[in-house]
Amino acid sequence: MTDSSDSSFAQRTTQNSADTEGATDAAETSGTDSSALTDQERALVSAVEAALPSSIAELSDLVRIPSVSWAAFDPANVAASAEAVAGLARATGVFESVDILRAATPSGELGQPAVLATRAARNGRPTVLLYAHHDVQPPGDDAAWESLPFEPTVRGDRLYGRGAADDKAGVESHLAAIRALTATAGDDFDLGLVLFIEGEEEFGSRSFANFLEANRDRLAADVIVVADSDNWDTETPSLTISLRGNVTFKLTVSTLAHASHSGMFGGAVPDAMLAAFRLLASFHDENGSVAVVGLTGREIEAPEYTEETLRAEAGLLDGVKPIGEGSILSRLWSKPTVTVTGIDAPSVANASNTLIPSVAVRVSARIAPGQDSQQAFEALEAHVRAHTPFGAHVEITEVDTGSPFLVDTSGWAVTAAKDAMRDAWGAEPVEAGIGGSIPFIADLVRVFPEAQILVTGVEDPHTRAHSPNESLHLGVFKRAITAEALLLLRLNSRTGNS
Ligand SMILES: [Zn+2]
């Protein structure tokens, strides 16, 4: 909130003044219903608003650090982003300790650095853990981006850049909410706070379970806010209450000891591509519903979501029909899916007239809430064994599983979070499922069974997380900060834990 950061915002995120005006306007069309607020809460909302330009500037500075956590990328960038986040946490002045910590992965190497900051609760107030992650997905091909991935750029009402939403905006929303709390309640408040900013969520949170065990005492909290999810749309908040799990593996299909001439042997000898495609086709029926015995799913009561909206949000081409059966949201939230996300085979440019001896694919399945991910893997494996044609050889390796999750919505924290969202957005929050997976949440539930978990976020259906042209809607950013700040302020005067 200093003058210098204000001016860096102006220099760095402004393409031209017209763009900035659009962005500011968008951020200001907040639906905050101030009639429901106390004077102190109204002051809090004003504090969020006044600090918004510097919050966007700080977020932009974080986006400039290319903190890709994948093994093939320079770990110095993830280290630099951990340093930056730790510096911002220290600057809030509310934490008794701020550390950059790493834990070992199950295979023994050191995971990426996380930031852990703590402040003890006083006078019987609850402790809230605020989670986000400071690492990002690889940017992909720069040419697919309208502005460079690590050059944060405002266009219209959105900030573009890798991590601008997922999840550096989650990091920044926590910091901004804490600063609004101190601006309103002073820095002598009673609420306990734990800030936990992970550094390898996009690389599978491999050291996460060990990190929780090693820092169990410092991480203990009554409420855990995971700010890494979606909102219903840019005007309507969501509290995510169900997440699908996942099963991924590499499937190698082989039919020949070596490549053979397709003219000489084609017609009598099956090639691996034919065998692989027939096997993969067996995962779905004619409607595109998953046809793997043992993968479970169910129809749920969900908000109205039309095919038209699906077509627009997913980018379906004209004439291409959706797959599956039942309501669209049940297909996305509470039923399984099986997708092939990669293939190793000769490229088109290198295609010679040979029968391909071996093909490998990456199979990525999403598992409905309520099913165990190991059991789901066993169902997929049995399906592969039963549907492999021509006696082809199959090998399954690199298996990775993550559990699905259903939030217990009966706790007081869910009510408090939805109240804060309603007041900050001026719209009724949607209890939503998401089709994606956040497997580490299962670890949190296992290690902290008493904690109430709130999955919130700063994304919206047009964010394009993980894809080129990822972006944050600046109005959503402001409303998400406001909702979290209201929640913290109210929990700061909450007594008892029931
Ligand atoms: Zn994320």
Side-chain angles (χ1 to χ4, degrees):
M1 275 186 59
T2 61
D3 289 340
S4 65
S5 65
D6 277 342
S7 65
S8 76
F9 162 64
Q11 284 162 15
R12 288 166 163 178
T13 59
T14 304
Q15 290 280 289
N16 57 52
S17 58
D19 282 355
T20 312
E21 278 160 29
T24 312
D25 289 350
E28 279 172 6
T29 54
S30 164
T32 302
D33 178 9
S34 55
S35 65
L37 303 182
T38 65
D39 287 350
Q40 194 186 34
E41 289 170 348
R42 270 195 281 274
L44 180 90
V45 171
S46 303
V48 170
E49 202 154 319
L52 193 66
S54 60
S55 298
I56 296 171
E58 263 182 27
L59 170 58
S60 301
D61 286 342
L62 292 176
V63 172
R64 270 185 202 90
I65 306 170
S67 52
V68 180
S69 53
W70 293 24
F73 290 75
D74 186 354
N77 291 318
V78 186
S81 96
E83 288 290 349
V85 171
L88 293 171
R90 284 188 195 103
T92 64
V94 305
F95 293 108
E96 287 143 13
S97 70
V98 178
D99 295 297
I100 296 173
L101 300 168
R102 306 168 75 173
T105 67
S107 55
E109 70 263 31
L110 216 48
Q112 298 277 17
V115 176
L116 178 57
T118 58
R119 171 195 177 92
R122 290 180 255 162
N123 299 319
R125 299 299 192 253
T127 295
V128 182
L129 183 155
L130 303 173
Y131 168 93
H133 61 88
H134 67 88
D135 65 313
V136 297
Q137 287 271 323
D141 184 1
D142 278 1
W145 288 77
E146 280 179 48
S147 49
L148 287 172
F150 299 110
E151 290 284 334
T153 304
V154 173
R155 283 195 299 279
D157 49 15
R158 307 189 73 98
L159 175 70
Y160 289 81
R162 172 58 81 234
D166 181 14
D167 187 28
K168 287 173 172 171
V171 176
E172 187 58 32
S173 64
H174 292 325
L175 293 162
I178 291 167
R179 288 190 297 251
L181 175 66
T182 55
T184 314
D187 55 12
D188 196 30
F189 57 84
D190 289 339
L191 185 70
L193 282 178
V194 180
L195 184 70
F196 173 27
I197 308 296
E198 193 194 353
E200 58 177 13
E201 198 277 338
E202 303 292 10
F203 195 52
S205 296
R206 289 165 193 226
S207 65
F208 193 88
N210 284 342
F211 192 96
L212 294 190
E213 293 297 344
N215 298 286
R216 185 189 273 266
D217 293 347
R218 296 179 67 190
L219 288 161
D222 303 295
V223 178
I224 298 175
V225 179
V226 175
D228 192 19
S229 189
D230 207 357
N231 288 286
W232 182 253
D233 58 32
T234 58
E235 307 301 319
T236 315
S238 293
L239 189 67
T240 300
I241 60 159
S242 90
L243 292 144
R244 289 195 290 198
N246 63 324
V247 174
T248 61
F249 52 87
K250 180 179 174 183
L251 173 64
T252 307
V253 179
S254 306
T255 56
L256 295 164
H258 53 77
S260 295
H261 193 290
S262 59
M264 303 266 285
F265 296 105
V269 170
D271 61 281
M273 190 66 85
L274 173 64
F277 279 6
R278 291 188 66 146
L279 170 56
L280 299 178
S282 73
F283 283 136
H284 299 85
D285 68 14
E286 288 303 309
N287 296 323
S289 293
V290 170
V292 177
V293 173
L295 284 189
T296 62
R298 64 199 169 94
E299 199 59 32
I300 51 163
E301 296 237 1
E304 172 74 13
Y305 184 88
T306 62
E307 180 178 327
E308 198 185 352
T309 309
L310 175 75
R311 303 192 76 87
E313 291 183 353
L316 263 184
L317 295 177
D318 280 349
V320 179
K321 296 183 175 65
I323 58 172
E325 280 160 0
S327 75
I328 290 174
L329 287 181
S330 293
R331 293 180 233 173
L332 301 181
W333 294 353
S334 61
K335 294 184 179 181
T337 178
V338 185
T339 312
V340 173
T341 56
I343 180 163
D344 287 344
S347 67
V348 171
N350 287 313
S352 62
N353 290 327
T354 50
L355 300 173
I356 296 169
S358 184
V359 170
V361 298
R362 173 80 60 203
V363 176
S364 170
R366 300 286 174 171
I367 307 306
Q371 178 153 45
D372 174 70
S373 57
Q374 182 58 32
Q375 185 193 72
F377 168 70
E378 285 160 17
L380 283 159
E381 186 180 31
H383 180 96
V384 166
R385 305 277 173 217
H387 289 80
T388 301
F390 316 124
H393 295 194
V394 291
E395 194 187 10
I396 292 174
T397 53
E398 298 176 21
V399 180
D400 205 9
T401 62
S403 300
F405 176 63
L406 271 177
V407 175
D408 173 7
T409 54
S410 65
W412 56 260
V414 166
T415 307
K418 287 174 69 178
D419 288 348
M421 284 177 167
R422 187 181 304 108
D423 293 341
W425 290 63
E428 187 59 30
V430 174
E431 286 189 1
I434 58 168
S437 310
I438 312 183
F440 70 75
I441 291 181
D443 290 328
L444 284 172
V445 175
R446 183 175 47 77
V447 178
F448 301 113
E450 303 299 317
Q452 302 183 68
I453 298 192
L454 304 171
V455 182
T456 66
V458 289
E459 297 178 18
D460 71 87
H462 298 288
T463 290
R464 299 197 197 171
H466 299 194
S467 302
N469 302 308
E470 174 181 347
S471 67
L472 169 73
H473 186 277
L474 294 171
V476 168
F477 184 48
K478 179 173 122 175
R479 292 186 276 283
I481 297 168
T482 306
E484 186 166 306
L486 275 174
L487 178 66
L488 296 182
L489 182 69
R490 291 170 183 175
L491 295 187
N492 182 49
S493 50
R494 184 190 171 84
T495 43
N497 200 15
S498 57

